[in-house]
Amino acid sequence: MTADLYQQAKAVFSELLALDPDDQARRLNQLQQQSPELEQEVRSLLEYHTAQSLIAPQSTPKIRTRSTLSTTYHSRSIQWLDGPLKGLLCALPLFLLGLLLAAWIDDRMHRQLKVSVAGRLSDAIEVRVKEFGLRFEPTATAEPDWVHSSSVHELLKGWSSDSRDCYLLNDRGAIVAGSRYATQLVDLPLARDRINEESLPLARDPGVDLIGGQQPNQPSAAWLPTLLARQVTTGNNGVYVEGYRNYVGQSVVGVWRWLPQFKVGLAIEENHAEAFALATNVRNGIMGCSGLFAASLISFAVAIAYRDRSRRLRTISEVGAYQIQELLGEGGMGRVYLAEHALLCRQSAIKVLTKGDNDLSVISRFEREVQLASQLTHPNTIAIYDFGRSREGVFYYAMEYINGAHLGQLVEYSGPVEPGRCIHLLKQLCRALLEAHQAGVVHRDVKPQNIMVCNRGGEPDFVKLFDYGLVKAFAPGVELNSSQTKVVVGTPRFMAPERLNSPWLADPRVDVYSVGALAYYLLTAQLPPLVTSGDEIENDQPGVETLDLPPGVVDFGGMLCICMSVEPASRPSSMSSLLRELDNLEKKFPWSRADSELWWSKHEDKLLRLVKTKRKRLSPDVDKLWRK
C-alpha cells in the first residue's frame, strides 16, 4: 500500500466513525467494489484504531518545517563532486582526442596494410606465373593432360600452405588442379562440372563455412561463382584484399592471373584474418592503449573524488564556529563530535552528516530532524544551538552536550534499574514525548541509545531525549515528508509491531509501545521480545505476560501488558494516560532526589569512565583527524 492510499484510508475511516454499523457495512461494500486494497485497509483501521489513535485533536500543526539548505543543495556547488567534475572536464577533451587519434591511426594503418597485402600477393603470383611458364609448355587445347599430371599437383602443393591456397581454374570456373582442401573436397557438397569425364569442383560461393560444418541454405546448383572465379573466367587479372568467401565458404583475400597460352587461370588465396594478423594486433594494441588511457583518466577522477572527500573528512578541525575535540559516537546518518564554540567557549555536541551527503532525500531528512527538534522546548528534549554547512560542504547541527550516559550504558554499568528510579526516568521521557505529540509529531525511534541520563546543573538523574531522525508528523494539515516511506526504519526490539506492516504509520501509540519496551529493558536488563502482528495466537495475547518478570517488579506487569499490546487500540491513548499509570506505580516504588544524589555521588566517575572507554578519541594530528 502506498502512502497516498493510506491517507485515503484514514479519511474514509474518519467518515465511517460517524455512521452506524449498518451504514458502515454498506459503505465498506461499496469500497470493496471500488478498491479491495483500500477497503481492506479501512477494515483494519476500524478493527485496531479509534479516532484518537489516528487523528490528533489540534486543528493546525504546531511544528513547522521548510526546505532551506536542501533545496539549494544542487543549485550551489556540490562540494564532494567538485574534484571529480574538474578532473573529468579536464580529462574529457584528452580522452576524445585520444579516441580520434586512435581511430585515425587505425584507419591509416589499415589502408597501408591493404596496400602492403595487395603488393605482397601481386609479387607472389608474378613469381609463380613466371615459374609456371618455365616448367610447362603452352598448348593449343584447353586442359591438356599435363594439367592433371602429378608434377602440376606437386608444384601447386608446394606453393600452398596452411593459410595459402594455390589452384588452377578453367574458363568454366572449375578447379582443374591444386587446392589445399583436396582431401576434403570429396565429402563437401560442392557444385561440380560434370561435362567432362571427370567431375571437377566449381569455384562457387556456398554462403556458409563448409569447413566449419555449416550447412548451405541453397542447393549447390544455385550457388554463384566466387568473386575470384568471376574475374578469372572473364579473362581479367587482379587482386582483392577487402575479403570475400572462397569455394568452401571461408573469408579470404586473393590474387589471380589468366594464362591465355595455357587456357587456365592461376589463383592464390590467403585466409583474411591471417593476412591482416599484423593489422589486427596493432589495432588491438592501439585500442587497448586507448582503453587503458580512458581507465586511467576515470581512475584519476575517482581518486580525486575520494581524495577530496577523505581530505575533507580528515582535515576538518572545525565546523562553522566550533572546534572539533573528540568523537562521541556514530549513528545511522553521521557522527557526533564533542566541540567547543570558538567565541562562547561552550562545549557542544556536533552532529555531522557523513553518510548519504550526496543524496538530497538524506539531506532533507537531516534538515527536518534539526528543525523539528529545535522547536520543541521541553527541558527533557535536547536543545539545538545551530545548523548549517561548513566551508568544506559538510552539513551539521550543534546541540547541547550531555556529559552522561545513554540508558543502554547505564544498564550495562549497573544492571536492572531500581523500580522507583525507573519510574522517575520514564516520567521525564513521557513528558518530553507529550510535548512532541501535542505539537503533532511522533518520535518513532525511542530506544536506550537515544535517551541520555546525567547529573546536570545540580539535577541528578536528568533525562534528555534526542535523535529525531525518524520523527513524523501526524496532525491534520501536516504535509507528507521524505521520512514517509515503505522502508521500515527503526530498532525492531523497541518498535511497535504495526509499523512493520505500515512503516509510514504516524500514531502516538507507536511511542507508547516503545516506552513500554524501554521500561521492560530498564527493569530486567533484558531486551524486550520481538513481537510482530503476525505472531498473534487466538486467546493468547503476546506480550510481557508470557515472560517471567523479576519478583520485585511484577507490579509493572499490568502497565507493560497494555503498553506493549500488539493491538494499538489496547494501549494508553496518550502519554498523559501513561503518566497516570506511572504516578500510581510511584506510590509503591518511591524514589527521591536524595536517592538520585546518593547514586551519582557513588557512581558518576565510574560511569563516565565507562562511557569514555567506548569513544574513539581523535588524534591531535590534523592529517589524521576524522580518521576511523
Side-chain angles (χ1 to χ4, degrees):
M1 171 179 288
T2 64
D4 289 340
L5 191 60
Y6 181 73
Q7 296 299 323
Q8 295 178 28
K10 289 204 298 184
V12 175
F13 165 79
S14 300
E15 297 174 5
L16 294 182
L17 290 178
L19 303 179
D20 57 49
D22 292 337
D23 292 335
Q24 285 186 3
R26 284 192 292 272
R27 181 75 174 95
L28 288 171
N29 288 333
Q30 294 175 359
L31 280 179
Q32 204 280 333
Q33 299 296 327
Q34 298 172 3
S35 173
E37 188 178 10
L38 178 60
E39 181 265 347
Q40 183 179 2
E41 181 61 18
V42 172
R43 286 186 182 275
S44 175
L45 293 178
L46 287 171
E47 181 179 1
Y48 291 109
H49 291 275
T50 65
Q52 287 74 27
S53 71
L54 289 183
I55 302 176
Q58 290 78 13
S59 58
T60 57
K62 295 184 179 180
I63 292 292
R64 297 180 298 106
T65 61
R66 66 172 180 267
S67 297
T68 54
L69 294 177
S70 59
T71 56
T72 60
Y73 177 68
H74 288 289
S75 63
R76 295 178 62 181
S77 174
I78 303 177
Q79 297 289 336
W80 80 276
L81 283 177
D82 280 350
L85 280 179
K86 291 176 182 176
L88 285 176
L89 288 176
C90 293
L92 185 59
L94 295 176
F95 177 61
L96 294 177
L97 180 62
L99 289 180
L100 292 175
L101 180 61
W104 182 80
I105 293 176
D106 178 62
D107 179 70
R108 296 291 298 176
M109 181 196 63
H110 199 66
R111 289 172 182 267
Q112 292 296 327
L113 193 60
K114 285 194 291 185
V115 173
S116 175
V117 171
R120 178 171 55 80
L121 290 175
S122 297
D123 292 342
I125 200 168
E126 294 300 335
V127 173
R128 302 298 184 266
V129 169
K130 185 176 182 179
E131 184 177 353
F132 192 87
L134 293 175
R135 295 191 59 173
F136 300 99
E137 294 292 333
T139 179
T141 61
E143 298 181 22
D145 293 339
W146 58 262
V147 171
H148 305 287
S149 67
S150 59
S151 59
V152 171
H153 285 283
E154 289 296 326
L155 178 64
L156 295 176
K157 183 178 179 181
W159 289 349
S160 299
S161 65
D162 292 339
S163 61
R164 175 176 291 186
D165 186 18
C166 292
Y167 57 93
L168 297 177
L169 294 90
N170 61 20
D171 56 2
R172 296 186 301 276
I175 299 174
V176 296
S179 177
R180 59 181 286 230
Y181 306 102
T183 58
Q184 299 169 282
L185 295 181
V186 178
D187 299 324
L188 296 177
L190 301 179
R192 295 183 178 274
D193 183 5
R194 302 183 183 280
I195 297 177
N196 300 332
E197 295 181 0
E198 183 179 359
S199 177
L200 298 175
L202 292 170
R204 293 186 177 182
D205 180 7
V208 295
D209 184 3
L210 299 179
I211 300 299
Q214 298 179 359
Q215 296 299 319
N217 299 322
Q218 295 179 329
S220 59
W223 298 353
L224 297 176
T226 65
L227 181 143
L228 185 147
R230 290 198 303 270
Q231 297 297 319
V232 169
T233 54
T234 56
N236 294 327
N237 299 326
V239 59
Y240 193 79
V241 295
E242 296 295 338
Y244 63 92
R245 280 193 297 269
N246 64 1
Y247 53 91
V248 292
Q250 292 191 330
S251 180
V252 296
V253 296
V255 60
W256 57 92
R257 295 288 185 272
W258 177 253
L259 309 179
Q261 68 274 31
F262 294 103
K263 301 294 189 295
V264 293
L266 175 62
I268 300 177
E269 290 178 332
E270 285 187 4
N271 182 276
H272 182 273
E274 295 188 22
F276 286 89
L278 176 61
T280 302
N281 292 336
V282 174
R283 183 180 185 182
N284 291 340
I286 292 176
M287 297 310 294
C289 291
S290 300
L292 182 60
F293 179 63
S296 299
L297 291 178
I298 294 173
S299 300
F300 173 71
V302 172
I304 291 177
Y306 278 97
R307 185 194 64 180
D308 180 74
R309 178 178 174 83
S310 61
R311 182 176 58 188
R312 173 164 57 91
L313 293 181
R314 288 198 310 266
T315 62
I316 293 177
S317 59
E318 60 182 33
V319 177
Y322 298 88
Q323 299 290 329
I324 299 295
Q325 294 179 343
E326 184 180 357
L327 177 63
L328 299 178
E330 187 167 2
M333 289 192 297
R335 299 173 186 169
V336 179
Y337 290 88
L338 174 62
E340 185 177 273
H341 195 279
L343 299 178
L344 299 176
C345 297
R346 176 181 62 189
Q347 284 194 321
S348 304
I350 305 295
K351 185 167 185 178
V352 178
L353 181 62
T354 58
K355 299 181 180 179
D357 59 352
N358 61 325
D359 188 336
L360 184 59
S361 64
V362 175
I363 297 172
S364 298
R365 175 178 159 190
F366 188 78
E367 185 177 53
R368 287 187 65 259
E369 174 185 349
V370 62
Q371 289 178 346
L372 289 167
S374 65
Q375 296 179 62
L376 298 174
T377 59
H378 195 276
N380 293 117
T381 297
I382 202 77
I384 304 298
Y385 295 151
D386 195 7
F387 177 43
R389 191 164 69 169
S390 71
R391 289 175 298 180
E392 293 78 11
V394 176
F395 289 89
Y396 74 94
Y397 70 81
M399 54 187 162
E400 59 178 323
Y401 169 62
I402 307 300
N403 188 23
H406 63 64
L407 293 184
Q409 294 167 337
L410 177 65
V411 171
E412 179 184 355
Y413 172 77
S414 64
V417 177
E418 290 288 335
R421 188 184 187 193
C422 178
I423 295 171
H424 176 66
L425 300 177
L426 291 176
K427 288 179 67 174
Q428 296 179 71
L429 172 63
C430 290
R431 285 192 287 265
L433 290 171
L434 178 60
E435 182 204 19
H437 293 172
Q438 289 175 345
V441 295
V442 289
H443 191 286
R444 298 202 303 167
D445 198 20
V446 177
K447 60 182 179 181
Q449 291 74 19
N450 285 341
I451 303 161
M452 297 291 292
V453 60
C454 58
N455 184 13
R456 184 176 178 81
E459 291 293 329
D461 276 342
F462 195 79
V463 166
K464 282 285 187 178
L465 173 64
F466 62 99
D467 199 350
Y468 279 78
L470 299 182
V471 71
K472 181 174 182 290
F474 73 95
V478 176
E479 296 181 356
L480 294 176
N481 52 69
S482 60
S483 69
Q484 289 173 308
T485 173
K486 289 185 177 181
V487 179
V488 178
V489 286
T491 307
R493 292 285 183 175
F494 296 89
M495 184 190 300
E498 65 268 19
R499 285 198 56 225
L500 296 175
N501 296 326
S502 302
W504 53 81
L505 191 60
D507 186 336
R509 301 188 188 198
V510 301
D511 285 347
V512 172
Y513 182 95
S514 298
V515 172
L518 179 66
Y520 175 81
Y521 172 71
L522 294 177
L523 292 169
T524 65
Q526 300 292 326
L527 288 174
L530 182 61
V531 182
T532 65
S533 57
D535 292 332
E536 294 181 79
I537 304 174
E538 186 176 359
N539 299 325
D540 183 15
Q541 169 68 39
V544 294
E545 71 266 28
T546 62
L547 300 174
D548 293 327
L549 292 175
V553 297
V554 292
D555 291 324
F556 284 81
M559 185 198 75
L560 297 178
C561 178
I562 59 173
C563 286
M564 299 177 67
S565 172
V566 173
E567 295 187 5
S570 300
R571 300 175 202 153
S573 58
S574 67
M575 286 296 161
S576 297
S577 300
L578 185 52
L579 281 167
R580 287 193 292 270
E581 292 288 338
L582 291 172
D583 286 338
N584 293 331
L585 285 169
E586 192 175 30
K587 298 174 183 178
K588 299 180 181 180
F589 302 100
W591 183 265
S592 66
R593 177 189 177 89
D595 294 328
S596 295
E597 290 176 344
L598 179 61
W599 191 94
W600 282 94
S601 65
K602 293 182 178 180
H603 302 283
E604 182 172 9
D605 292 340
K606 293 181 181 179
L607 176 62
L608 295 182
R609 281 199 298 270
L610 170 66
V611 172
K612 287 189 176 182
T613 58
K614 296 182 176 298
R615 296 177 185 171
K616 297 178 180 178
R617 186 171 300 278
L618 296 175
S619 169
D621 185 354
V622 174
D623 290 335
K624 296 180 180 179
L625 197 60
W626 290 48
R627 196 186 298 250
K628 285 189 176 181

